[in-house]
Amino acid sequence: MADEPGPEVTEAPPAPDPDHETMLAALRAGLGDDAVLEHADAFGDLVVRVAPAAWRGAATVTQRDLSCDYLSFIAGIDWEPAAREGDEAGGDTSAPVQPTERSYGAAGSAGRFQVFAHVESTSRPRGLTLKTDVDEDAPSVASWVSVYPGADWHERECWEMFGIAFDGHPSLRHLYLPSEFEGHPLRKDFPLLARVVKPWPGLVDVEAMPGDDAPAEPAATAEEPS
Amino acid sequence: MSTTGESPVPSLTVERSSMRHLADAQVGVELDTGDMILNLGPQHPATHGTLRIVVRLDGERVVSADPVIGYMHRGYEKLTEFRTYPQVTTLINRIDWLSSFANEVPFMTAAEQLMAIEAPPRAVYIRTVLTELSRIATFLLFLGEMGLQVGALTPAFYGFRDREYVLNLIEAATGGRFHPNFNRIGGLKDDLPWGWIAECRSTMKVVLDACDDFEDLVLGNEIFEARTQGIGIIPASVGAGYGVSGSNLRASGVDWDLRRDRPYLAYPEVDFQVWTHPDGDSYSRYWVRLQETREAARIVLQCLDQIPSGPIMAKVPRIIKVPEGEVWVETENPLGQMGYYVISKGATGPFRVKIRSASFSNVSTLPWLLRGVYVPDVITILASLYFILGDIDR
Amino acid sequence: MTLALSIGWGSTLAIKTIVVLTVIPLGALILGYVFLLKMMSHMQSRLGPMDPGGFHGWYQLVGDGLKFLQKEDVMPAQADRRVFAVAPAVVVMSTFLVFLVIPMGPDLVVKDLDVGVFYALAVSSLSVVGVLMAGWASANKFALLGALRAAAQLIAYELPLLLAVVGVVIQAGTMSLQGIVLSQQHGKIFGWGGLGEPFLLTQFVGLALFLVASQAELTQTPFDMPVAESELVAGYMVEYTGFRFLFFFIGEFGTAFAFAAIAATLFLGGWAIPGVHGDWANILGPPVLFAKLMIIAFFMFWVRFTYPRLREDQLQAVAWKFLIPLGLANILLTGLFKVAF
């Protein structure tokens, strides 16, 4: 298969974007230099980490000064490495093995939890991702509902999935899960129950690959916990 | 039910909508008749799936509406953390199951960007064609379905009939009518079968004819106009704040289409028009989708003319490990803006995937939108927003 | 039937009863098969039932009816049981009563009432009582909404229906349906009496009004809000299954059959065909009437399968702002012509 690059079909490779500077300047002007902690360019998308205290202010600035009137999503991240024992080389493909040390993505993080949101402008090709840090012990951050009405459901989802509360949200209720549900499923320490109840069947049904000489022994790994 | 009363409604100066949305419950108060709470769903024909809307009624007028979602929540964001990148494709096929192929594209693009791979041009063109085909299939269903929700049986059958031709094409190319699972990181599973392009050309004529039929049969009908014009108006500012996207937002007069404004796939190389409608009501949503169906057929025809020859897979390692990084990729899907925020830590599977699905945001406007309308209008508004339950609940 | 015989009112009454009791379900079956199953299917580019009975699925509806009879009689736990059980019977009864006055030949009429038209329309609106009973007794909010809609709509559309008929009555000079048929037979078109004068020619406005209003009376699209399967699921019928649902079905299509027969009688000359009198008219009358009512029914169902549904307030607006003034104007004009000529 030839490996020649095609025409420009995907987004342009990351290059210093003048609009990013404009957006950063506006954010610094609106929130103060201290509030804009870090920024990064993630494949053409500006990622800005703001101080938790400036979270709602950031929404106001993006909406008012940057004409980003469109809320794409609000979500949470749990940077805790997934607690998982498994041996990928030994045939356990029940889940990809992630690095065990904690590292943070674009624009960094102060701790385990983060809330991030993507806003865009409907009038010009512009959009940015905002991140803020959330305290692990008392996870709470200001709500965006008063700025973007669509934040309502996104924050409810984030609250039930990560246990991150949103101050000023009119009613943080369960969105997807039944109201008596306990736990926060998208946290990394919440196990995927299907895998706990029943081992990954991929462990059992290992067939010989065409290149392999020795047939795999299915029974040997069947009882291994996943 | 409490949120709907308190959920923030931006102050508006749009006259038509403010007139319509101020629920006038005076009569009920005077006669001291209690409000009736009506459960629309989770099993209701108009919600095409398991959406439940708790509607508080005064007579037939909606005092407040509270959508209850999650009956179909499958936890895809959690499941992606337990899958490798190629396995995730199978999951995201099932988000918006009417246009599965279009769901795959942004995720594949995200993975390819992280890996710095580019799909070969032929694969890019085929992706564009198949994306537009799934858009046509989705919209044809809408064009018929909307008639059904307004009470006309016949358009629904026409919609299903003509969609079948398009699904046959998708099946011929990918092997799956609904869940193609045809994308691979770095290209496609297979090339198009022999004779497919000619077949596709003739089917596009069928599609264009079908659009004319729908324009005559549904859009030009006085009763349809009476039922949809001025109903369910979403002002542009409100729509954007709620994250309403795609045809729904364009029907509110916002000239914003990711295919043109953030070009991806082969869209920069084809010539197409972005249709908008100033009214923002149910009628204009139907109108915009009808025009976009035609436009999609034109895009397909152009792509078929320009499609280059060559390989359909880039050089990709046998075990796919995606380097560390995070990327946000969004595309213009039939139901609206679909995006994946993929965070990778260098493993064979993603560390975290935030799935931004269009219907979720579109439907979140319902508490605002349904206040003060009549019960029959609830149905037309639901139908005109055009959501897929899998796309709401993920 | 046995009741009729034992009372001893004579075999005529027995035959009449049997005929009426057969005609309604048979008519409902025929309309259901021809229009609901076949015509609608072909309009929607599909075939409809093809297998049952061997020839184009003619047996399908009969089979459906038998299936309904075998089904369990399910009643909601909270339902008002007695009312719930009686409601379908009330609906069907009104359909049967309408047929008493429809003439099928010079002598083929159960009872030629002097106020035939008035009686038919009055009795046909009895069905709304059954509908209200069904909606109330089902203890279901969808059913209640549907029933209330049905009540509002049937009341609103009684008036245009009556006004549409008044023109015919003025022209014929009688309210007896038999009299109206006869007066159409003896009329002249511009002095030529070969065809008689079906009131279709002079009362076309009345016919249009009648068809629109009867569409609302029958709760058919575009006025099917009481049923509204996409909003109220099935409206007042939502809790009914088995043979009780069958009653509603027979009521629905039987009433359509009856209204088509009334329209054919009022506007198309009923059982009469030119040049046929006496016994031959008695023999040919029923098939002729049937042919004419099928033409009317075709239009009714054509509209039903084509149009979307109006909203309840729009339906009221159509009735009060458009149909009733039109009907009044039609009556006025008819009266003027009647006096002038």
Side-chain angles (χ1 to χ4, degrees), chain C residues 118-330:
Chain C
F118 180 70
Y119 166 85
L121 296 183
V123 168
S124 74
S125 44
L126 268 183
S127 67
V128 73
V129 178
V131 167
L132 264 178
M133 286 162 71
W136 170 257
S138 296
N140 181 313
K141 290 169 183 172
F142 288 103
L144 183 65
L145 274 178
L148 289 177
R149 284 180 179 189
Q153 147 173 0
L154 263 61
I155 290 165
Y157 275 81
E158 273 309 300
L159 208 49
L161 200 64
L162 276 171
L163 294 179
V165 170
V166 167
V168 172
V169 172
I170 292 175
Q171 213 178 342
T174 172
M175 279 171 92
S176 149
L177 282 167
Q178 193 68 282
I180 289 172
V181 172
L182 289 176
S183 76
Q184 293 184 66
Q185 223 171 352
H186 300 309
K188 283 185 172 62
I189 307 169
F190 299 119
W192 177 64
L195 269 179
E197 189 208 8
F199 289 153
L200 168 69
L201 300 175
T202 46
Q203 291 293 328
F204 48 88
V205 177
L207 175 61
L209 278 177
F210 188 90
L211 286 181
V212 172
S214 61
Q215 207 72 356
E217 286 272 320
L218 300 169
T219 63
Q220 291 200 7
T221 324
F223 307 116
D224 66 335
M225 300 73 138
V227 185
E229 71 288 332
S230 63
E231 306 158 17
L232 299 183
V233 193
Y236 58 89
M237 293 192 268
V238 72
E239 294 288 1
Y240 282 90
T241 57
F243 71 96
R244 293 187 207 283
F245 176 78
L246 183 67
F247 269 38
F248 276 121
F249 184 85
I250 290 176
E252 185 185 345
F253 282 85
T255 318
F257 194 71
F259 269 88
I262 294 175
T265 307
L266 292 179
F267 299 99
L268 297 183
W271 48 263
I273 38 169
V276 179
H277 303 284
D279 284 346
W280 278 108
N282 271 332
I283 295 167
L284 288 178
V288 169
L289 179 68
F290 178 73
K292 288 178 178 176
L293 80 83
M294 287 300 269
I295 294 171
I296 298 273
F298 171 76
F299 284 100
M300 284 168 148
F301 283 94
W302 187 8
V303 168
R304 169 176 173 158
F305 301 140
T306 309
Y307 275 96
R309 178 187 310 125
L310 278 169
R311 214 169 50 209
E312 196 64 31
D313 57 323
Q314 292 167 338
L315 162 131
Q316 300 285 350
V318 170
W320 294 102
K321 291 181 186 162
F322 179 68
L323 293 181
I324 290 176
L326 196 65
L328 289 172
N330 184 42

Side-chain angles (χ1 to χ4, degrees), chain A residues 1-11 42-43 45 47 63 69-82 84 88 93-99 101-106 116 118 120-127 129 131 145-146 148-154 156-157 161-162 169-171 173 175-177 185-192 195 200 209, chain B residues 1-3 6-8 10 66-71 73 77-79 81-84 87 109 112-114 118-121 124 237-245 249 254-256 258 261-266 268-269 311-315 318 321 324-330 337 341 343 345-352 354 356 360-361 363-364 367 392-394:
Chain A
M1 270 179 248
D3 191 15
E4 36 182 37
E8 280 296 308
V9 285
T10 48
E11 283 177 43
F43 296 90
D45 179 37
V47 184
Q63 196 200 39
D69 49 351
Y70 172 89
L71 175 74
S72 193
F73 69 84
I74 300 175
I77 320 176
D78 180 2
W79 291 110
E80 181 79 7
R84 182 181 164 275
E88 211 169 28
T93 53
S94 64
V97 174
Q98 302 282 359
E101 71 281 3
R102 192 189 284 184
S103 62
Y104 304 117
F116 68 122
H118 190 81
E120 269 173 65
S121 166
T122 55
S123 48
R124 62 181 77 181
R126 163 192 278 180
T129 306
K131 285 186 178 179
V145 172
S146 55
Y148 294 102
D152 185 354
W153 282 21
H154 289 288
R156 276 169 69 188
E157 184 191 355
M161 292 298 173
F162 289 95
H169 190 283
S171 74
R173 297 172 290 150
L175 182 69
Y176 287 129
L177 306 171
L186 274 182
R187 287 189 178 183
K188 288 287 180 185
D189 50 11
F190 193 93
L192 185 63
R195 293 285 163 78
W200 172 241
M209 295 295 281
Chain B
M1 276 128 275
S2 55
T3 29
E6 298 149 14
S7 82
D66 186 22
V68 181
I69 63 172
Y71 290 94
H73 184 55
E77 289 182 16
K78 185 77 175 175
L79 290 177
E81 295 169 10
F82 289 78
R83 298 283 192 282
T84 61
Q87 286 171 341
T109 318
E112 284 166 10
Q113 283 192 14
L114 284 170
E118 265 187 19
V124 167
S237 56
V238 179
Y242 270 104
V244 173
S245 53
L249 196 59
V254 178
D255 189 15
W256 188 46
L258 292 173
D261 299 330
R262 299 227 164 160
Y264 58 99
L265 294 184
E269 288 141 60
I312 45 126
M313 265 308 267
K315 200 170 262 176
R318 187 160 164 269
K321 282 203 172 184
E324 191 164 351
E326 53 187 80
V327 65
W328 162 247
V329 175
E330 56 189 346
Q337 184 206 46
Y341 200 99
I343 299 174
K345 286 208 169 174
T348 51
F351 180 76
R352 163 111 171 92
K354 166 65 195 173
R356 196 273 177 202
F360 180 82
S361 295
V363 168
S364 72
I392 300 175
D393 285 355
R394 303 194 299 274

